[in-house]
mmCIF file of all heavy atoms in Angstrom:
data_model
loop_
_atom_site.group_PDB
_atom_site.id
_atom_site.type_symbol
_atom_site.label_atom_id
_atom_site.label_comp_id
_atom_site.label_asym_id
_atom_site.label_seq_id
_atom_site.Cartn_x
_atom_site.Cartn_y
_atom_site.Cartn_z
ATOM 1 N N MET A 15 -3.056 -12.649 -11.852
ATOM 2 C CA MET A 15 -3.370 -11.287 -11.392
ATOM 3 C C MET A 15 -2.075 -10.508 -11.189
ATOM 4 O O MET A 15 -1.119 -11.012 -10.591
ATOM 5 C CB MET A 15 -4.136 -11.368 -10.068
ATOM 6 C CG MET A 15 -4.574 -10.012 -9.547
ATOM 7 S SD MET A 15 -5.500 -10.226 -8.010
ATOM 8 C CE MET A 15 -6.046 -8.540 -7.778
ATOM 9 N N ALA A 16 -2.051 -9.294 -11.694
ATOM 10 C CA ALA A 16 -0.843 -8.470 -11.583
ATOM 11 C C ALA A 16 -0.580 -8.116 -10.129
ATOM 12 O O ALA A 16 -1.494 -7.801 -9.377
ATOM 13 C CB ALA A 16 -1.001 -7.208 -12.406
ATOM 14 N N GLN A 17 0.679 -8.159 -9.797
ATOM 15 C CA GLN A 17 1.072 -7.746 -8.460
ATOM 16 C C GLN A 17 1.254 -6.237 -8.420
ATOM 17 O O GLN A 17 1.575 -5.606 -9.416
ATOM 18 C CB GLN A 17 2.386 -8.433 -8.085
ATOM 19 C CG GLN A 17 2.253 -9.939 -8.015
ATOM 20 C CD GLN A 17 2.755 -10.493 -6.705
ATOM 21 O OE1 GLN A 17 3.799 -10.105 -6.214
ATOM 22 N NE2 GLN A 17 1.996 -11.384 -6.127
ATOM 23 N N GLN A 18 1.055 -5.702 -7.223
ATOM 24 C CA GLN A 18 1.220 -4.276 -7.010
ATOM 25 C C GLN A 18 2.290 -4.067 -5.949
ATOM 26 O O GLN A 18 2.468 -4.906 -5.069
ATOM 27 C CB GLN A 18 -0.087 -3.641 -6.504
ATOM 28 C CG GLN A 18 -1.293 -3.854 -7.392
ATOM 29 C CD GLN A 18 -1.307 -2.954 -8.600
ATOM 30 O OE1 GLN A 18 -0.787 -1.857 -8.565
ATOM 31 N NE2 GLN A 18 -1.909 -3.425 -9.682
ATOM 32 N N ALA A 19 2.984 -2.955 -6.037
ATOM 33 C CA ALA A 19 3.957 -2.598 -5.011
ATOM 34 C C ALA A 19 3.680 -1.169 -4.560
ATOM 35 O O ALA A 19 3.367 -0.299 -5.368
ATOM 36 C CB ALA A 19 5.375 -2.703 -5.549
ATOM 37 N N VAL A 20 3.778 -0.948 -3.254
ATOM 38 C CA VAL A 20 3.564 0.382 -2.697
ATOM 39 C C VAL A 20 4.675 0.681 -1.704
ATOM 40 O O VAL A 20 5.045 -0.177 -0.900
ATOM 41 C CB VAL A 20 2.209 0.489 -1.961
ATOM 42 C CG1 VAL A 20 1.974 1.902 -1.445
ATOM 43 C CG2 VAL A 20 1.070 0.088 -2.868
ATOM 44 N N ARG A 21 5.216 1.894 -1.768
ATOM 45 C CA ARG A 21 6.208 2.312 -0.789
ATOM 46 C C ARG A 21 5.669 3.518 -0.030
ATOM 47 O O ARG A 21 5.315 4.536 -0.612
ATOM 48 C CB ARG A 21 7.534 2.673 -1.478
ATOM 49 C CG ARG A 21 8.641 2.981 -0.450
ATOM 50 C CD ARG A 21 9.953 3.321 -1.150
ATOM 51 N NE ARG A 21 10.480 2.202 -1.919
ATOM 52 C CZ ARG A 21 11.200 1.202 -1.386
ATOM 53 N NH1 ARG A 21 11.469 1.203 -0.117
ATOM 54 N NH2 ARG A 21 11.642 0.237 -2.142
ATOM 55 N N CYS A 22 5.619 3.405 1.277
ATOM 56 C CA CYS A 22 5.208 4.512 2.128
ATOM 57 C C CYS A 22 6.320 5.556 2.162
ATOM 58 O O CYS A 22 7.498 5.244 1.946
ATOM 59 C CB CYS A 22 4.928 3.972 3.524
ATOM 60 S SG CYS A 22 4.378 5.206 4.706
ATOM 61 N N PHE A 23 5.978 6.779 2.488
ATOM 62 C CA PHE A 23 7.004 7.837 2.584
ATOM 63 C C PHE A 23 8.062 7.538 3.635
ATOM 64 O O PHE A 23 9.169 8.072 3.588
ATOM 65 C CB PHE A 23 6.362 9.210 2.830
ATOM 66 C CG PHE A 23 5.563 9.286 4.118
ATOM 67 C CD1 PHE A 23 6.211 9.519 5.324
ATOM 68 C CD2 PHE A 23 4.188 9.151 4.102
ATOM 69 C CE1 PHE A 23 5.481 9.590 6.498
ATOM 70 C CE2 PHE A 23 3.451 9.213 5.276
ATOM 71 C CZ PHE A 23 4.106 9.433 6.477
ATOM 72 N N CYS A 24 7.746 6.684 4.609
ATOM 73 C CA CYS A 24 8.699 6.339 5.664
ATOM 74 C C CYS A 24 9.646 5.228 5.241
ATOM 75 O O CYS A 24 10.583 4.915 5.959
ATOM 76 C CB CYS A 24 7.960 5.940 6.928
ATOM 77 S SG CYS A 24 7.220 4.288 6.860
ATOM 78 N N GLY A 25 9.386 4.618 4.099
ATOM 79 C CA GLY A 25 10.248 3.552 3.630
ATOM 80 C C GLY A 25 9.603 2.175 3.704
ATOM 81 O O GLY A 25 10.122 1.224 3.137
ATOM 82 N N PHE A 26 8.496 2.067 4.398
ATOM 83 C CA PHE A 26 7.760 0.803 4.448
ATOM 84 C C PHE A 26 7.358 0.390 3.037
ATOM 85 O O PHE A 26 6.866 1.205 2.263
ATOM 86 C CB PHE A 26 6.518 0.980 5.330
ATOM 87 C CG PHE A 26 5.602 -0.225 5.358
ATOM 88 C CD1 PHE A 26 5.879 -1.301 6.187
ATOM 89 C CD2 PHE A 26 4.471 -0.248 4.570
ATOM 90 C CE1 PHE A 26 5.012 -2.404 6.226
ATOM 91 C CE2 PHE A 26 3.604 -1.345 4.602
ATOM 92 C CZ PHE A 26 3.884 -2.419 5.429
ATOM 93 N N HIS A 27 7.593 -0.873 2.728
ATOM 94 C CA HIS A 27 7.325 -1.355 1.377
ATOM 95 C C HIS A 27 6.486 -2.613 1.456
ATOM 96 O O HIS A 27 6.747 -3.485 2.276
ATOM 97 C CB HIS A 27 8.657 -1.652 0.677
ATOM 98 C CG HIS A 27 8.499 -2.163 -0.719
ATOM 99 N ND1 HIS A 27 8.637 -3.490 -1.044
ATOM 100 C CD2 HIS A 27 8.217 -1.518 -1.871
ATOM 101 C CE1 HIS A 27 8.433 -3.638 -2.343
ATOM 102 N NE2 HIS A 27 8.180 -2.471 -2.874
ATOM 103 N N VAL A 28 5.495 -2.689 0.620
ATOM 104 C CA VAL A 28 4.679 -3.901 0.580
ATOM 105 C C VAL A 28 4.383 -4.249 -0.874
ATOM 106 O O VAL A 28 4.213 -3.383 -1.724
ATOM 107 C CB VAL A 28 3.375 -3.751 1.402
ATOM 108 C CG1 VAL A 28 2.510 -2.633 0.889
ATOM 109 C CG2 VAL A 28 2.596 -5.062 1.447
ATOM 110 N N GLN A 29 4.392 -5.546 -1.136
ATOM 111 C CA GLN A 29 4.154 -6.029 -2.495
ATOM 112 C C GLN A 29 3.281 -7.265 -2.440
ATOM 113 O O GLN A 29 3.399 -8.083 -1.536
ATOM 114 C CB GLN A 29 5.501 -6.371 -3.139
ATOM 115 C CG GLN A 29 5.390 -6.881 -4.568
ATOM 116 C CD GLN A 29 6.756 -7.121 -5.190
ATOM 117 O OE1 GLN A 29 7.707 -6.399 -4.896
ATOM 118 N NE2 GLN A 29 6.857 -8.106 -6.041
ATOM 119 N N GLY A 30 2.389 -7.359 -3.401
ATOM 120 C CA GLY A 30 1.525 -8.538 -3.452
ATOM 121 C C GLY A 30 0.320 -8.233 -4.316
ATOM 122 O O GLY A 30 0.340 -7.281 -5.104
ATOM 123 N N ASP A 31 -0.732 -9.041 -4.168
ATOM 124 C CA ASP A 31 -1.907 -8.718 -4.971
ATOM 125 C C ASP A 31 -2.613 -7.492 -4.383
ATOM 126 O O ASP A 31 -2.289 -7.019 -3.294
ATOM 127 C CB ASP A 31 -2.834 -9.926 -5.151
ATOM 128 C CG ASP A 31 -3.500 -10.384 -3.864
ATOM 129 O OD1 ASP A 31 -3.837 -9.537 -3.027
ATOM 130 O OD2 ASP A 31 -3.677 -11.602 -3.716
ATOM 131 N N GLU A 32 -3.542 -6.966 -5.164
ATOM 132 C CA GLU A 32 -4.132 -5.668 -4.843
ATOM 133 C C GLU A 32 -4.750 -5.635 -3.451
ATOM 134 O O GLU A 32 -4.513 -4.710 -2.665
ATOM 135 C CB GLU A 32 -5.181 -5.347 -5.909
ATOM 136 C CG GLU A 32 -5.685 -3.931 -5.844
ATOM 137 C CD GLU A 32 -6.590 -3.628 -7.032
ATOM 138 O OE1 GLU A 32 -6.104 -3.724 -8.170
ATOM 139 O OE2 GLU A 32 -7.772 -3.317 -6.819
ATOM 140 N N ASP A 33 -5.535 -6.660 -3.124
ATOM 141 C CA ASP A 33 -6.176 -6.691 -1.807
ATOM 142 C C ASP A 33 -5.143 -6.701 -0.688
ATOM 143 O O ASP A 33 -5.336 -6.079 0.358
ATOM 144 C CB ASP A 33 -7.065 -7.936 -1.687
ATOM 145 C CG ASP A 33 -8.349 -7.796 -2.480
ATOM 146 O OD1 ASP A 33 -8.692 -6.668 -2.871
ATOM 147 O OD2 ASP A 33 -9.003 -8.817 -2.718
ATOM 148 N N HIS A 34 -4.039 -7.408 -0.914
ATOM 149 C CA HIS A 34 -3.002 -7.508 0.114
ATOM 150 C C HIS A 34 -2.323 -6.159 0.349
ATOM 151 O O HIS A 34 -2.168 -5.729 1.488
ATOM 152 C CB HIS A 34 -1.970 -8.556 -0.290
ATOM 153 C CG HIS A 34 -0.800 -8.612 0.650
ATOM 154 N ND1 HIS A 34 -0.892 -9.170 1.901
ATOM 155 C CD2 HIS A 34 0.464 -8.148 0.524
ATOM 156 C CE1 HIS A 34 0.284 -9.051 2.503
ATOM 157 N NE2 HIS A 34 1.127 -8.437 1.696
ATOM 158 N N VAL A 35 -1.905 -5.476 -0.717
ATOM 159 C CA VAL A 35 -1.197 -4.209 -0.517
ATOM 160 C C VAL A 35 -2.127 -3.144 0.056
ATOM 161 O O VAL A 35 -1.710 -2.332 0.883
ATOM 162 C CB VAL A 35 -0.504 -3.696 -1.807
ATOM 163 C CG1 VAL A 35 0.561 -4.666 -2.281
ATOM 164 C CG2 VAL A 35 -1.458 -3.371 -2.901
ATOM 165 N N VAL A 36 -3.386 -3.162 -0.363
ATOM 166 C CA VAL A 36 -4.341 -2.185 0.178
ATOM 167 C C VAL A 36 -4.514 -2.402 1.676
ATOM 168 O O VAL A 36 -4.374 -1.468 2.477
ATOM 169 C CB VAL A 36 -5.698 -2.274 -0.559
ATOM 170 C CG1 VAL A 36 -6.768 -1.479 0.186
ATOM 171 C CG2 VAL A 36 -5.568 -1.761 -1.985
ATOM 172 N N ALA A 37 -4.762 -3.636 2.073
ATOM 173 C CA ALA A 37 -4.969 -3.927 3.500
ATOM 174 C C ALA A 37 -3.710 -3.634 4.301
ATOM 175 O O ALA A 37 -3.773 -3.063 5.400
ATOM 176 C CB ALA A 37 -5.389 -5.384 3.674
ATOM 177 N N ALA A 38 -2.554 -4.006 3.756
ATOM 178 C CA ALA A 38 -1.304 -3.826 4.489
ATOM 179 C C ALA A 38 -0.984 -2.351 4.668
ATOM 180 O O ALA A 38 -0.561 -1.920 5.745
ATOM 181 C CB ALA A 38 -0.160 -4.533 3.758
ATOM 182 N N LEU A 39 -1.167 -1.547 3.629
ATOM 183 C CA LEU A 39 -0.804 -0.138 3.753
ATOM 184 C C LEU A 39 -1.812 0.626 4.608
ATOM 185 O O LEU A 39 -1.421 1.513 5.370
ATOM 186 C CB LEU A 39 -0.650 0.523 2.373
ATOM 187 C CG LEU A 39 0.204 1.787 2.492
ATOM 188 C CD1 LEU A 39 1.667 1.451 2.743
ATOM 189 C CD2 LEU A 39 0.078 2.682 1.290
ATOM 190 N N ILE A 40 -3.078 0.272 4.510
ATOM 191 C CA ILE A 40 -4.071 0.903 5.385
ATOM 192 C C ILE A 40 -3.737 0.610 6.846
ATOM 193 O O ILE A 40 -3.727 1.514 7.690
ATOM 194 C CB ILE A 40 -5.499 0.433 5.021
ATOM 195 C CG1 ILE A 40 -5.931 1.064 3.699
ATOM 196 C CG2 ILE A 40 -6.485 0.804 6.132
ATOM 197 C CD1 ILE A 40 -7.274 0.559 3.177
ATOM 198 N N GLY A 41 -3.409 -0.636 7.138
ATOM 199 C CA GLY A 41 -3.033 -1.008 8.496
ATOM 200 C C GLY A 41 -1.758 -0.326 8.946
ATOM 201 O O GLY A 41 -1.649 0.143 10.084
ATOM 202 N N HIS A 42 -0.773 -0.248 8.060
ATOM 203 C CA HIS A 42 0.492 0.403 8.377
ATOM 204 C C HIS A 42 0.288 1.888 8.658
ATOM 205 O O HIS A 42 0.789 2.414 9.647
ATOM 206 C CB HIS A 42 1.470 0.208 7.214
ATOM 207 C CG HIS A 42 2.658 1.107 7.295
ATOM 208 N ND1 HIS A 42 3.748 0.836 8.077
ATOM 209 C CD2 HIS A 42 2.900 2.314 6.706
ATOM 210 C CE1 HIS A 42 4.624 1.834 7.962
ATOM 211 N NE2 HIS A 42 4.143 2.737 7.141
ATOM 212 N N ALA A 43 -0.433 2.566 7.797
ATOM 213 C CA ALA A 43 -0.630 4.007 7.935
ATOM 214 C C ALA A 43 -1.348 4.338 9.238
ATOM 215 O O ALA A 43 -0.996 5.297 9.938
ATOM 216 C CB ALA A 43 -1.428 4.549 6.747
ATOM 217 N N LEU A 44 -2.317 3.517 9.582
ATOM 218 C CA LEU A 44 -3.066 3.749 10.814
ATOM 219 C C LEU A 44 -2.184 3.480 12.038
ATOM 220 O O LEU A 44 -2.129 4.275 12.971
ATOM 221 C CB LEU A 44 -4.300 2.839 10.814
ATOM 222 C CG LEU A 44 -5.402 3.189 11.792
ATOM 223 C CD1 LEU A 44 -5.951 4.585 11.517
ATOM 224 C CD2 LEU A 44 -6.530 2.165 11.702
ATOM 225 N N GLY A 45 -1.470 2.363 12.008
ATOM 226 C CA GLY A 45 -0.676 1.962 13.156
ATOM 227 C C GLY A 45 0.565 2.814 13.368
ATOM 228 O O GLY A 45 0.957 3.090 14.496
ATOM 229 N N PHE A 46 1.225 3.222 12.274
ATOM 230 C CA PHE A 46 2.505 3.909 12.384
ATOM 231 C C PHE A 46 2.384 5.415 12.258
ATOM 232 O O PHE A 46 3.224 6.156 12.731
ATOM 233 C CB PHE A 46 3.483 3.390 11.326
ATOM 234 C CG PHE A 46 4.045 2.035 11.646
ATOM 235 C CD1 PHE A 46 3.291 0.905 11.445
ATOM 236 C CD2 PHE A 46 5.326 1.906 12.167
ATOM 237 C CE1 PHE A 46 3.798 -0.358 11.746
ATOM 238 C CE2 PHE A 46 5.849 0.658 12.475
ATOM 239 C CZ PHE A 46 5.078 -0.479 12.265
ATOM 240 N N HIS A 47 1.386 5.872 11.545
ATOM 241 C CA HIS A 47 1.288 7.313 11.260
ATOM 242 C C HIS A 47 -0.031 7.926 11.718
ATOM 243 O O HIS A 47 -0.273 9.105 11.480
ATOM 244 C CB HIS A 47 1.457 7.560 9.750
ATOM 245 C CG HIS A 47 2.691 6.940 9.171
ATOM 246 N ND1 HIS A 47 3.957 7.247 9.594
ATOM 247 C CD2 HIS A 47 2.856 6.026 8.182
ATOM 248 C CE1 HIS A 47 4.844 6.537 8.891
ATOM 249 N NE2 HIS A 47 4.205 5.783 8.040
ATOM 250 N N GLN A 48 -0.886 7.127 12.340
ATOM 251 C CA GLN A 48 -2.217 7.607 12.724
ATOM 252 C C GLN A 48 -2.915 8.296 11.553
ATOM 253 O O GLN A 48 -3.548 9.337 11.673
ATOM 254 C CB GLN A 48 -2.153 8.550 13.949
ATOM 255 C CG GLN A 48 -1.762 7.839 15.227
ATOM 256 C CD GLN A 48 -0.260 7.559 15.284
ATOM 257 O OE1 GLN A 48 0.538 8.461 15.085
ATOM 258 N NE2 GLN A 48 0.128 6.330 15.533
ATOM 259 N N MET A 49 -2.721 7.705 10.377
ATOM 260 C CA MET A 49 -3.285 8.236 9.134
ATOM 261 C C MET A 49 -4.319 7.255 8.606
ATOM 262 O O MET A 49 -4.072 6.059 8.552
ATOM 263 C CB MET A 49 -2.171 8.344 8.077
ATOM 264 C CG MET A 49 -1.712 9.735 7.743
ATOM 265 S SD MET A 49 -0.241 9.606 6.674
ATOM 266 C CE MET A 49 -0.959 8.768 5.276
ATOM 267 N N THR A 50 -5.470 7.774 8.222
ATOM 268 C CA THR A 50 -6.496 6.916 7.641
ATOM 269 C C THR A 50 -6.468 7.038 6.128
ATOM 270 O O THR A 50 -6.685 8.115 5.580
ATOM 271 C CB THR A 50 -7.889 7.300 8.168
ATOM 272 O OG1 THR A 50 -7.865 7.261 9.587
ATOM 273 C CG2 THR A 50 -8.939 6.337 7.663
ATOM 274 N N LEU A 51 -6.172 5.935 5.467
ATOM 275 C CA LEU A 51 -6.170 5.905 4.002
ATOM 276 C C LEU A 51 -7.352 5.066 3.528
ATOM 277 O O LEU A 51 -7.779 4.148 4.215
ATOM 278 C CB LEU A 51 -4.884 5.257 3.487
ATOM 279 C CG LEU A 51 -3.568 5.953 3.795
ATOM 280 C CD1 LEU A 51 -2.410 5.148 3.210
ATOM 281 C CD2 LEU A 51 -3.554 7.363 3.230
ATOM 282 N N ASN A 52 -7.833 5.386 2.356
ATOM 283 C CA ASN A 52 -8.819 4.503 1.760
ATOM 284 C C ASN A 52 -8.194 3.776 0.561
ATOM 285 O O ASN A 52 -7.053 4.028 0.178
ATOM 286 C CB ASN A 52 -10.097 5.265 1.366
ATOM 287 C CG ASN A 52 -9.835 6.342 0.320
ATOM 288 O OD1 ASN A 52 -8.996 6.171 -0.564
ATOM 289 N ND2 ASN A 52 -10.539 7.453 0.417
ATOM 290 N N ARG A 53 -8.945 2.837 0.045
ATOM 291 C CA ARG A 53 -8.431 1.982 -1.034
ATOM 292 C C ARG A 53 -7.949 2.810 -2.231
ATOM 293 O O ARG A 53 -6.908 2.529 -2.827
ATOM 294 C CB ARG A 53 -9.567 1.042 -1.467
ATOM 295 C CG ARG A 53 -9.135 0.003 -2.486
ATOM 296 C CD ARG A 53 -10.313 -0.877 -2.903
ATOM 297 N NE ARG A 53 -9.843 -1.940 -3.761
ATOM 298 C CZ ARG A 53 -9.454 -3.135 -3.312
ATOM 299 N NH1 ARG A 53 -9.529 -3.419 -2.048
ATOM 300 N NH2 ARG A 53 -9.014 -4.047 -4.155
ATOM 301 N N GLU A 54 -8.710 3.844 -2.562
ATOM 302 C CA GLU A 54 -8.382 4.680 -3.715
ATOM 303 C C GLU A 54 -7.016 5.353 -3.525
ATOM 304 O O GLU A 54 -6.211 5.441 -4.443
ATOM 305 C CB GLU A 54 -9.471 5.738 -3.865
ATOM 306 C CG GLU A 54 -9.709 6.188 -5.285
ATOM 307 C CD GLU A 54 -10.959 7.044 -5.371
ATOM 308 O OE1 GLU A 54 -11.074 8.002 -4.581
ATOM 309 O OE2 GLU A 54 -11.824 6.747 -6.221
ATOM 310 N N GLN A 55 -6.778 5.838 -2.309
ATOM 311 C CA GLN A 55 -5.501 6.510 -2.029
ATOM 312 C C GLN A 55 -4.333 5.543 -2.114
ATOM 313 O O GLN A 55 -3.263 5.891 -2.621
ATOM 314 C CB GLN A 55 -5.564 7.151 -0.637
ATOM 315 C CG GLN A 55 -6.469 8.359 -0.577
ATOM 316 C CD GLN A 55 -6.653 8.846 0.853
ATOM 317 O OE1 GLN A 55 -7.044 8.097 1.737
ATOM 318 N NE2 GLN A 55 -6.370 10.109 1.095
ATOM 319 N N VAL A 56 -4.525 4.335 -1.613
ATOM 320 C CA VAL A 56 -3.452 3.340 -1.688
ATOM 321 C C VAL A 56 -3.167 2.983 -3.143
ATOM 322 O O VAL A 56 -1.999 2.949 -3.566
ATOM 323 C CB VAL A 56 -3.813 2.077 -0.888
ATOM 324 C CG1 VAL A 56 -2.747 1.007 -1.077
ATOM 325 C CG2 VAL A 56 -3.984 2.399 0.586
ATOM 326 N N LEU A 57 -4.202 2.762 -3.915
ATOM 327 C CA LEU A 57 -4.003 2.370 -5.308
ATOM 328 C C LEU A 57 -3.378 3.486 -6.130
ATOM 329 O O LEU A 57 -2.651 3.246 -7.087
ATOM 330 C CB LEU A 57 -5.328 1.916 -5.931
ATOM 331 C CG LEU A 57 -5.856 0.603 -5.344
ATOM 332 C CD1 LEU A 57 -7.193 0.246 -5.981
ATOM 333 C CD2 LEU A 57 -4.863 -0.530 -5.536
ATOM 334 N N ALA A 58 -3.594 4.742 -5.728
ATOM 335 C CA ALA A 58 -2.976 5.866 -6.411
ATOM 336 C C ALA A 58 -1.464 5.864 -6.197
ATOM 337 O O ALA A 58 -0.711 6.373 -7.026
ATOM 338 C CB ALA A 58 -3.580 7.181 -5.920
ATOM 339 N N MET A 59 -1.018 5.275 -5.081
ATOM 340 C CA MET A 59 0.416 5.195 -4.768
ATOM 341 C C MET A 59 1.037 3.910 -5.318
ATOM 342 O O MET A 59 2.256 3.767 -5.331
ATOM 343 C CB MET A 59 0.617 5.192 -3.242
ATOM 344 C CG MET A 59 0.138 6.447 -2.550
ATOM 345 S SD MET A 59 -0.071 6.151 -0.755
ATOM 346 C CE MET A 59 1.628 5.868 -0.260
ATOM 347 N N ALA A 60 0.212 2.962 -5.726
ATOM 348 C CA ALA A 60 0.712 1.639 -6.105
ATOM 349 C C ALA A 60 1.251 1.638 -7.526
ATOM 350 O O ALA A 60 0.808 2.396 -8.389
ATOM 351 C CB ALA A 60 -0.415 0.617 -5.976
ATOM 352 N N GLU A 61 2.215 0.764 -7.728
ATOM 353 C CA GLU A 61 2.752 0.556 -9.074
ATOM 354 C C GLU A 61 2.706 -0.932 -9.389
ATOM 355 O O GLU A 61 3.042 -1.755 -8.546
ATOM 356 C CB GLU A 61 4.199 1.047 -9.148
ATOM 357 C CG GLU A 61 4.304 2.554 -9.014
ATOM 358 C CD GLU A 61 5.755 3.020 -9.101
ATOM 359 O OE1 GLU A 61 6.646 2.165 -9.210
ATOM 360 O OE2 GLU A 61 5.962 4.232 -9.057
ATOM 361 N N PRO A 62 2.309 -1.254 -10.606
ATOM 362 C CA PRO A 62 2.302 -2.674 -10.987
ATOM 363 C C PRO A 62 3.723 -3.224 -11.036
ATOM 364 O O PRO A 62 4.651 -2.523 -11.428
ATOM 365 C CB PRO A 62 1.648 -2.683 -12.364
ATOM 366 C CG PRO A 62 1.709 -1.287 -12.862
ATOM 367 C CD PRO A 62 1.826 -0.390 -11.668
ATOM 368 N N VAL A 63 3.866 -4.444 -10.607
ATOM 369 C CA VAL A 63 5.174 -5.102 -10.613
ATOM 370 C C VAL A 63 5.308 -5.921 -11.885
ATOM 371 O O VAL A 63 4.480 -6.782 -12.161
ATOM 372 C CB VAL A 63 5.324 -6.016 -9.383
ATOM 373 C CG1 VAL A 63 6.651 -6.746 -9.410
ATOM 374 C CG2 VAL A 63 5.174 -5.214 -8.099
ATOM 375 N N ALA A 64 6.336 -5.625 -12.637
ATOM 376 C CA ALA A 64 6.546 -6.337 -13.902
ATOM 377 C C ALA A 64 7.104 -7.725 -13.643
ATOM 378 O O ALA A 64 7.898 -7.935 -12.739
ATOM 379 C CB ALA A 64 7.506 -5.548 -14.780
ATOM 380 N N GLY A 65 6.691 -8.645 -14.429
ATOM 381 C CA GLY A 65 7.260 -9.974 -14.413
ATOM 382 C C GLY A 65 6.828 -10.826 -13.250
ATOM 383 O O GLY A 65 7.428 -11.858 -12.972
ATOM 384 N N GLY A 66 5.777 -10.400 -12.518
ATOM 385 C CA GLY A 66 5.345 -11.181 -11.380
ATOM 386 C C GLY A 66 4.629 -12.422 -11.877
ATOM 387 O O GLY A 66 4.531 -13.416 -11.235
HETATM 388 ZN ZN1 LIG B 102 4.946 4.553 6.708
#
């Protein structure tokens, strides 16, 4: 399964499989920015990691 990487505007970075980055960024956005993201929004910010 291809890995995904997402970087928050604050510099927070998470990489892993799709479920992991989605859960991590949703949790981060809520905890650090009081922002509610959904899966679609996270995946729109995600980039596939080459060579994983
Ligand atoms: Zn952030």
Side-chain angles (χ1 to χ4, degrees):
M15 183 179 187
Q17 297 233 316
Q18 304 282 330
V20 183
R21 186 179 296 277
C22 181
F23 61 82
C24 75
F26 175 82
H27 180 258
V28 60
Q29 180 176 326
D31 67 36
E32 191 173 300
D33 285 344
H34 174 74
V35 297
V36 168
L39 201 72
I40 288 174
H42 166 82
L44 197 60
F46 285 77
H47 307 300
Q48 291 77 51
M49 252 172 62
T50 305
L51 297 179
N52 62 35
R53 186 181 186 91
E54 210 170 51
Q55 289 172 305
V56 175
L57 292 178
M59 297 162 66
E61 292 180 357
V63 178

